[in-house]
Amino acid sequence: IQAKLADLRRTDYPADRLAILVVDGGSTDDTAELVQAAIDGGAPLSLLRLQATRGKSEQVERALAQVKQEIVVVTDADAV
């Protein structure tokens, strides 16, 4: 997740129009804790923790219900 957060920081998009929501579907690799630590350190992120979902499609669906932006980009921790 650290590499993905660094990748997102390199995004060439106006910071005042960019909202980053990290969705954790109950991972066991400390993703949520690392993202929360980044948030606590001032990173402009939001974290949505989900438990007992039926997979990525439900996670995306629930995340989309949280966002207000007109344009949404979905990416994974292992995508660059």
Side-chain angles (χ1 to χ4, degrees), residues 2-41:
Q2 299 289 24
K4 178 43 114 190
L5 294 178
D7 180 49
L8 292 171
R9 283 192 297 274
R10 291 188 299 271
T11 300
D12 184 21
Y13 197 79
D16 63 323
R17 299 184 69 197
L18 181 65
I20 299 173
L21 173 62
V22 178
V23 180
D24 180 71
S27 64
T28 58
D29 63 358
D30 295 329
T31 291
E33 290 76 12
L34 292 168
V35 172
Q36 188 59 57
I39 292 169
D40 293 345

Side-chain angles (χ1 to χ4, degrees), residues 21 23 48 50 58-68:
L21 173 62
V23 180
L48 176 60
L50 301 174
E58 182 181 354
Q59 293 170 20
V60 170
E61 179 182 346
R62 294 190 47 197
L64 289 174
Q66 301 277 323
V67 299
K68 296 175 178 52

Side-chain angles (χ1 to χ4, degrees), residues 44-65:
L45 307 168
S46 298
L47 174 62
L48 176 60
R49 292 182 185 209
L50 301 174
Q51 301 296 322
T53 62
R54 293 183 304 264
K56 182 177 178 179
S57 61
E58 182 181 354
Q59 293 170 20
V60 170
E61 179 182 346
R62 294 190 47 197
L64 289 174

Side-chain angles (χ1 to χ4, degrees), residues 64-76:
L64 289 174
Q66 301 277 323
V67 299
K68 296 175 178 52
Q69 289 73 17
E70 293 181 25
I71 300 171
V72 175
V73 175
V74 177
T75 186
D76 289 308

